[in-house]
Amino acid sequence: WKKVRKTFYELLSLPLPPMEFVEGLRRELHQEIDLTEVYLVEKGEDASLYFDEQGRPHLERLEAIDKPDGIEALAEKIFDDEIGLVDLPDLVIDELNEVGLLDCFKGPDGEMPRTPEHARNVVATTIAYGCNHGPKAMANSTEGVSAWQIADTFRRYFTEENLKAAIIKLVNRINRHPLVKIWGDGTVAHADGLRFVQPLNVLQSEFHVRLKDYGVVYLPSETNTHAVFYSQVIPCHIREALYLIDGLLMHDTELEIKMQVSDMHGKTNPAMALARLLGFRLCPRPTGIPRMVLSRFDSKKSHGKLAEMLRHKINPDAITSVYDQIVRLAASAKARLVAPSLLLYRLSSFAS
């Protein structure tokens, strides 16, 4: 660590002196508090954040924007006259050819198969498993392809490495498309776990009360341009926050994600701290805002209406005493020497 310490501090854009880091945090926090106070003064009763008679904060619910007149007719005209309906097999074949996805499905030896049936089998396997048809149903509706060929193609060529290479190409293509810039710039990501029953005896499967059965959580990470750039299957009992940073560091696409949004399953102090050191903003959507208590550095400074929320005081010594050790952990995650999820799981176990 002594040999690479300075290099990783520069890579993470962190100062070497611990107190310099603490002072930077102090400035950032005070700046955000000041901006919030100015917002409350300028907006007055029109502010989306307001306080009740007991001084507890509340957020107004956002109202949906009304649809402009004629928007539905315009959408029908665009799809009927300009785009039209596209058959799923044709779409899959076009994308496999245009994006070059077929080049990703190499054999175990790293070489592309020379048989002419390989491209056909890859297309059939993609539709069979991607659309949840299954090998038998796909073989029955496809001439010249057997269920055994589809299953064998999936086993040989649909490996984790090949699928990741294909996903990278597809996400990069989506990110370069001019239409997606209407939705966003691709710097904001969102993740929300989906629970599925998994009665099979697999490693991640665990009993879950809501499912009333054994199951797993599928955790996809999606940008604000609607591109799923990373996904993973995790156990039901572990908070999703432990796995959010994995996708931010390991997606290997052209995306430059700066903010990760999630529900309250993404809120843990170690995860938010590690994301801050790695240069990301982990932003869980808060619940129970009236009961929320935040922290500040200077307990003597008055913060107006926000004082009721800022009741806890930050201890700078608790940061400076372990600063170098925490940066070393962040550097290990940045260098991919250890998965952030495993790192956070160990830290959470130690804290409990």
Side-chain angles (χ1 to χ4, degrees), residues 43-95:
K43 291 293 183 178
E45 296 181 355
D46 296 331
S48 57
L49 174 66
Y50 65 94
F51 296 82
D52 58 21
E53 297 178 354
Q54 287 76 30
R56 295 175 298 186
H58 298 268
L59 272 178
E60 287 187 351
R61 184 183 297 273
L62 293 177
E63 299 294 337
I65 301 176
D66 295 333
K67 290 183 180 180
D69 296 336
I71 190 66
E72 294 182 357
L74 178 61
E76 292 180 2
K77 177 176 174 44
I78 291 175
F79 281 99
D80 293 342
D81 300 342
E82 301 295 336
I83 300 178
L85 295 177
V86 180
D87 291 333
L88 181 59
D90 294 337
L91 178 62
V92 173
I93 293 171
D94 290 343
E95 289 302 310

Side-chain angles (χ1 to χ4, degrees), residues 109-318:
D109 57 354
E111 300 293 333
M112 286 293 298
R114 298 181 180 180
T115 57
E117 296 84 7
H118 177 66
R120 178 201 64 188
N121 293 343
V122 169
V123 173
T125 305
T126 301
I127 298 175
Y129 288 92
C131 299
N132 202 26
H133 292 324
K136 289 186 178 180
M138 189 65 195
N140 293 335
S141 60
T142 307
E143 185 177 354
V145 181
S146 66
W148 181 89
Q149 287 176 313
I150 294 175
D152 185 65
T153 301
F154 181 80
R155 179 178 61 85
R156 287 175 177 268
Y157 304 108
F158 281 64
T159 62
E160 183 177 351
E161 293 79 9
N162 291 350
L163 287 173
K164 182 174 182 179
I167 290 173
I168 291 173
K169 279 192 174 184
L170 191 59
V171 171
N172 290 342
R173 174 176 171 82
I174 295 174
N175 188 53
R176 297 171 188 171
H177 200 284
L179 285 180
V180 302
K181 304 304 178 185
I182 299 175
W183 299 320
D185 56 3
T187 61
V188 180
H190 173 266
D192 193 5
L194 304 173
R195 296 177 179 86
F196 292 95
V197 174
Q198 177 60 271
L200 300 179
N201 186 21
V202 297
L203 185 62
Q204 290 91 349
S205 181
E206 293 179 342
F207 187 83
H208 194 271
V209 176
R210 292 185 181 178
L211 296 177
K212 298 181 180 179
D213 203 341
Y214 284 84
V216 294
V217 174
Y218 171 64
L219 184 62
S221 297
E222 181 180 356
T223 65
N224 55 355
T225 57
H226 301 285
V228 178
F229 61 91
Y230 194 84
S231 60
Q232 51 193 324
V233 177
I234 64 175
C236 291
H237 78 283
I238 302 179
R239 291 186 69 90
E240 297 169 9
L242 276 63
Y243 294 88
L244 295 180
I245 304 179
D246 286 4
L248 299 177
L249 287 180
M250 301 179 182
H251 59 85
D252 293 330
T253 67
E254 297 175 352
L255 298 171
E256 296 181 0
I257 300 170
K258 300 177 181 178
M259 180 187 297
Q260 174 77 63
V261 182
S262 68
D263 57 15
M264 286 304 288
H265 254 272
K267 179 186 178 299
T268 65
N269 290 336
M272 298 180 72
L274 181 61
R276 169 63 176 78
L277 292 174
L278 293 172
F280 303 112
R281 293 182 61 191
L282 190 57
C283 303
R285 297 188 298 273
T287 58
I289 292 180
R291 302 182 302 274
M292 184 175 294
V293 178
L294 302 179
S295 303
R296 57 182 175 178
F297 278 98
D298 191 356
S299 59
K300 297 180 180 179
K301 185 177 180 180
S302 175
H303 294 289
K305 294 182 178 180
L306 298 177
E308 182 64 23
M309 298 178 65
L310 300 166
R311 297 201 302 268
H312 287 176
K313 186 178 184 300
I314 299 174
N315 181 11
D317 294 336

